[in-house]
Amino acid sequence: MAETAPPAAVSQLLPLELVDKCIGERIWVIMKGDKELIGTLRGFDDYVNMVLDDVTEIDFTPSGTVKTQLDQILLHGSNIAMLVPGGPDDDEEEK
């Protein structure tokens, strides 16, 4: 029987390690419900509670999209549905 070489070590990045690499960078946070936030990640904890600076809050209502500018916000991790490092594309952000 021929021996096969073991597979090369695969680099694994845990989810919280990826979020940690985003500190100081723009991030797009999609919340449960009809709200999205785009801002600079300042910090987070093990429960993914987050602090964002220079935030654009996008609220999708039946009457249309409402954008609000905030200096800083604290997000409760249990309300976060998805994180997108780098934020949306510029043309998508202007919609």
Side-chain angles (χ1 to χ4, degrees):
M1 239 187 210
E3 285 188 36
T4 59
V10 177
S11 171
Q12 290 187 0
L13 191 62
L14 297 173
L16 289 180
E17 291 174 340
L18 178 60
V19 176
D20 188 52
K21 288 181 179 263
C22 295
I23 290 179
E25 303 293 329
R26 298 289 285 173
I27 193 165
W28 180 16
V29 182
I30 301 171
M31 306 294 287
K32 294 178 183 176
D34 295 328
K35 192 171 286 198
E36 297 179 4
L37 298 112
I38 303 160
T40 303
L41 180 62
R42 285 296 158 225
F44 70 99
D45 64 9
D46 290 340
Y47 299 100
V48 195
N49 298 316
M50 299 184 144
V51 176
L52 301 178
D53 286 339
D54 303 321
V55 181
T56 301
E57 179 181 26
I58 305 167
D59 198 6
F60 299 98
T61 65
S63 60
T65 303
V66 178
K67 289 188 177 184
T68 307
Q69 289 296 126
L70 304 167
D71 290 332
Q72 193 172 62
I73 192 168
L74 170 65
L75 302 177
H76 194 273
S78 67
N79 292 322
I80 296 172
M82 185 168 64
L83 301 170
V84 181
D89 295 336
D90 290 336
D91 47 327
E92 189 172 328
E93 190 173 345
E94 292 177 8
K95 287 183 182 178

